[in-house]
Amino acid sequence: MGPWKIFLVAVLLAAALGGEQAAVQAAVVKYDWTVDYLFAAPDCVERLIIAINGQFPSPTIQAVQGDTVVVNLKNNLPTEGVTIHWHGISQKGTPFSDGAAFVSQCPINPGEIFTYKFVVDKSGTYFYHGHFGMQRAAGLFGSLIVSLPPGEKEPFSYDGEFSLLLTDWYHKSIYLQELGLSSIPFEFVGEPQSLLIQGRGKYNCSLDLCPVGSPNCLQCNASANAACAAPFVLPVQPGKTYRLRLSSPAILSSLNFIIENHNMTVVEADSHYVEPFVVENLDIYPGQSYSVLITANQEPTRNYWVGLNVRGRLPATPTGLAVLQYLPSNSSSGLLLPPTPAPQSPVWNDFAVTVAQAEKYAAKTGLGYSAPPAKSHRLLIFLNTQNTIDGHIRWAINNISYVPTATPVLAAFKFKLWKAFEQTPPPDRPPPSDNHLDIYATPNANSSHARYGNGVYVFKLGDVVDVVIQNTNTLNPNNSEIHSWHLHGHSFWVLGYGKGVFDPQTDPAQKYNLVNPPLRNTVAVFPYGWVAIRFIADNPGAWPFHCHVEPHFFMGMGTVFAEGIHNLPHIPSQTLGCGLTKPNW
């Protein structure tokens, strides 16, 4: 055999072995889940929650990059539908598995089984949650962790890891919350009663003045032998470094995570590597995920508080607490609680500190990172306003307050069901009458112009799109809130932040980072300011873009992006059956 033939055989053999190795690495990970109601008391107050397989938080999905995840989900809720959104997963080729009710699918009816099937094409820290009504606020969420394939290494090292879900928690059921948000007069959900770390918190039962046994009385039991009385524990060995995977399915609150006497090094944001930087505390907004590294380098004869506090709103909720437990000296006689007060976060309304931390994020270049295209094909400026429509308080984008259609938007495009939604797309910019809107006006001068709508922004496949989210005053005097915006089906570059009104003529040149902006799937816009993002419309499908504050999206703060509508994949029949996709027999 000549040298060329030997070389050719070697190449073919290597290719075959490589393909075999890839096939071995790319597994199918299957889960059988049942969604049902559950009585639970994560903060010592019993309430009705929605849970998977009787667990709170719901089960963790563990997969390897390239795996196919298959979840057979049975809806055991007797009177309501359900969907699950896989937050941060791109769903390339499977837009029908995104889990957004009335966008990617019909809600799963009681008694039905729906199979979600998708590829996890990027390692990182993710989570999943209910995406129908306000079911996330009912406790329907869990972690989704995607590891690197064997043989590949992270650009940082650690000795162990923990996954923590961080959330605010309400005692009022989501059905009462939804009713209040939809009513005249308006009844807001208010501030949360507790903050939970990995599903555990502790409410002060002395604040519960409801007589035991009276109608609708919530039972509170924080006695020493109650399961809820024990904080979540992170056991560590002195001198070791640990990766903390943090995700926030929070309902309303911007949260701040802090570990007593321990700095954290931020290394990942929304599944993307960032240039490492050190913080004493970490702001995390609804819908965001992070990885931070900590080293157990403090006095090992005692334990330390892990704290969770509210930022961006006047706090009315005690610090959520867990314990960093140093082993082995502090484990022989049970858990020793730290002897110190709960750790304090920065002042809730110090937004200079807030923005300064947000601006520290920069992508870790290399490792597959690509800088954004130098220019975009389209610019959308979204004016974020609180409005009154027919007596109802609503949120709107460019005067359109989103209401879902009865027909999934994805199916409407696939099957040309043009009566399913408004055919006039929403405006790319605020209406001309609002071009000179005073974002500090109180109440918002724009409040009487809004209407309900469900039009869709449509992009050509491959379009580069810029979206600037412009924050304003609410209907309350001297008040502008943090909004956390999430885009389904994509990661986007966060180009920059600014104060006041965005100027498309000067701000891009002065404030955009086009060299190494971080990639995210969820970004916060701060009070009386703006944030600019850029993404490539390269994923055929229909994708919600919305505020991840649960009451805000419920009240209309969102829209839908559709792209590559002539390249949509086959849509499984199990996603259909509502609106204009009902069988016509």
Side-chain angles (χ1 to χ4, degrees), residues 43 169-172 189-195 202-203 316-318:
D43 68 344
W169 192 247
Y170 289 81
H171 295 161
K172 183 183 291 187
V189 299
E191 303 306 315
Q193 282 69 60
S194 301
L195 301 176
K202 188 175 181 181
Y203 181 67
T317 311

Side-chain angles (χ1 to χ4, degrees), residues 24-67:
V24 170
Q25 290 178 352
V28 176
V29 183
K30 293 184 177 180
Y31 293 87
D32 293 312
W33 286 353
T34 299
V35 180
D36 208 340
Y37 296 122
L38 178 71
F39 283 115
D43 68 344
C44 303
V45 176
E46 186 177 82
R47 59 159 283 195
L48 179 72
I49 71 169
I50 299 177
I52 292 174
N53 291 358
Q55 299 179 37
F56 177 77
S58 291
T60 296
I61 289 179
Q62 295 278 0
V64 174
Q65 180 177 302
D67 284 354

Side-chain angles (χ1 to χ4, degrees), residues 161-181:
E161 70 175 55
F162 301 94
S163 296
L164 301 178
L165 292 163
L166 313 174
T167 190
D168 45 12
W169 192 247
Y170 289 81
H171 295 161
K172 183 183 291 187
S173 77
I174 61 169
Y175 313 106
L176 291 175
Q177 291 183 47
E178 291 172 346
L179 178 61
L181 295 173

